[in-house]
């Protein structure tokens, strides 16, 4: 069942989403060769708790950390480790918080130092596909319109759209109805109504769409070992208008400073 939210609830959700956005912005300034993903995880947990919130992933389905950190061919659900990042890596950071009873959930794929041009293109296209999906988030459309927009744009670039993992409704639970796949047909799926809040999150592979899970029980990797990118926003429709509750502004500002 889809739980539609009131304006008041959506304002609380915006605060949760914005805290995740600020956490990603804080991390953006720290990501460089030599840094371990476990260090990033500790920074994020402290930052979130300092803002009177709780890490949203820690303990959720027994996940052991605050961040899902997925490097290179890792798609999502990577576990932070003591292995340092190296120049040329990409690192997808997915972060959730719980504040005032509502979850925020957002992801961004960062470049570590200089990355290969074809990898930079994967990041650019995946991020763009997120915004193309968001453009379809309007009253009267269906979830399939979002899915279709993401799939057609990324496949046009020859990329693989992960099937096994999808976006989702968001609220008092991290994962609510409806599912928001990154592939699908126009005009299909649940109708988009006032009060709907969803996390839209394309997970796009440079090569095959096929993925597998590592023996740690969490990490999802591409089947061909090629890199994968992941961007996520929390998006609401309220009073007939689409509002992106999260933002990449904090990340953009941090990256601009270290340029
Ligand atoms: Mg997420
Ligand atoms: Mg999500």
């Amino acid at each position: 069942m889809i739980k539609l939210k009131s304006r008041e609830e959506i304002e609380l959700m915006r605060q949760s989403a914005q805290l995740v956005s600020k956490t990603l912005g804080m991390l953006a300034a720290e990501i460089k060769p030599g840094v371990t993903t476990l260090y990033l995880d500790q920074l994020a947990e402290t930052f979130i708790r300092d803002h009177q919130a709780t890490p949203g992933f820690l303990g959720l389905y027994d996940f052991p950390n605050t961040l899902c950190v997925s490097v290179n061919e890792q798609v999502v659900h990577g576990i932070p480790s003591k292995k340092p990042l190296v120049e040329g890596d990409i690192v997808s950071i997915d972060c959730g918080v719980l504040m005032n009873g509502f979850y925020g959930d957002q992801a961004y794929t960062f470049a570590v130092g200089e990355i290969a041009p074809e990898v930079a293109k994967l990041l650019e296209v995946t991020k763009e596909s997120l915004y193309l999906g968001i453009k379809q988030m309007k009253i009267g459309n269906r979830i399939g319109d979002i899915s279709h927009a993401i799939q057609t744009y990324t496949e046009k670039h020859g990329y693989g759209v992960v099937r096994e993992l999808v976006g989702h409704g968001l609220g008092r639970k991290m994962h609510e109805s409806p599912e928001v796949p990154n592939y699908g047909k126009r005009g299909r799926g649940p109708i988009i109504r006032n009060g709907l809040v969803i996390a839209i999150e394309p997970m796009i592979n440079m090569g095959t769409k096929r993925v597998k899970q590592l023996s740690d029980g969490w990490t999802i990797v591409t089947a061909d070992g090629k890199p994968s990118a992941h961007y996520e926003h929390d998006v609401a429709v309220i009073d007939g208008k689409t509002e992106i509750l999260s933002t990449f502004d904090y990340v953009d500002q941090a990256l601009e400073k270290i340029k």
Side-chain angles (χ1 to χ4, degrees):
M1 200 191 69
I2 297 175
K3 286 198 173 113
L4 299 174
K5 276 82 184 176
S6 66
R7 166 55 82 182
E8 292 69 29
E9 289 175 318
I10 286 172
E11 286 315 316
L12 289 175
M13 292 192 70
R14 189 194 311 279
Q15 291 178 28
S16 303
Q18 289 284 315
L19 178 56
V20 183
S21 304
K22 285 175 191 164
T23 308
L24 291 176
M26 178 276 294
L27 294 171
E30 302 288 337
I31 293 169
K32 46 178 111 48
V35 162
T36 72
T37 57
L38 194 59
Y39 172 69
L40 298 175
D41 184 74
Q42 287 158 354
L43 286 180
E45 179 170 357
T46 303
F47 187 84
I48 291 165
R49 294 196 192 281
D50 284 350
H51 286 80
Q52 288 72 51
T54 310
F57 296 160
L58 184 64
L60 184 70
Y61 316 118
D62 291 328
F63 187 75
N65 290 86
T66 292
L67 300 177
C68 292
V69 188
S70 308
V71 181
N72 297 332
E73 79 283 1
Q74 298 178 349
V75 180
V76 287
H77 302 167
I79 298 173
S81 80
K82 290 181 181 161
K83 190 173 168 217
L85 295 169
V86 300
E87 179 93 16
D89 280 347
I90 55 169
V91 56
S92 300
I93 298 189
D94 195 348
C95 181
V97 305
L98 176 61
M99 189 166 67
N100 300 319
F102 287 96
Y103 282 97
D105 179 21
Q106 201 187 1
Y108 194 96
T109 302
F110 297 90
V112 182
E114 287 290 318
I115 59 171
E118 66 269 25
V119 180
K121 185 76 184 169
L122 172 70
L123 269 49
E124 183 196 316
V125 168
T126 305
K127 195 202 273 181
E128 183 62 27
S129 78
L130 168 59
Y131 287 101
L132 292 174
I134 291 171
K135 252 193 197 167
Q136 297 299 319
M137 172 79 168
K138 52 189 178 194
I139 291 193
N141 269 11
R142 289 176 181 269
I143 295 295
D145 295 305
I146 298 170
S147 309
H148 182 263
I150 293 169
Q151 180 181 16
T152 48
Y153 184 68
T154 53
E155 286 187 347
K156 199 174 73 187
H157 286 85
Y159 298 146
V161 179
V162 175
R163 299 297 200 268
E164 288 83 349
L165 300 138
V166 296
H168 50 92
L170 187 70
R172 291 191 180 276
K173 292 206 175 117
M174 174 67 82
H175 298 114
E176 297 188 354
S177 281
E179 288 197 341
V180 185
N182 297 302
Y183 61 95
K185 293 195 168 68
R186 266 190 208 133
R188 300 282 179 87
I191 200 155
I192 294 167
R193 299 178 198 282
N194 226 22
L196 180 69
V197 185
I198 57 173
I200 304 178
E201 50 179 317
M203 289 156 258
I204 306 298
N205 300 343
M206 184 182 277
T208 179
K209 63 178 185 276
R210 286 186 304 114
V211 296
K212 53 188 186 181
Q213 190 176 47
L214 296 186
S215 58
D216 62 15
W218 281 105
T219 316
I220 304 293
V221 298
T222 57
D224 60 8
K226 290 185 179 171
S228 182
H230 183 206
Y231 292 87
E232 177 178 24
H233 269 315
D234 302 337
V235 189
V237 174
I238 189 73
D239 301 332
K241 283 197 320 228
T242 303
E243 296 185 18
I244 307 178
L245 305 180
S246 48
T247 177
F248 292 145
D249 286 356
Y250 301 107
V251 167
D252 290 343
Q253 285 160 18
L255 296 181
E256 194 56 40
K257 254 187 218 162
I258 54 179
K259 242 185 203 170

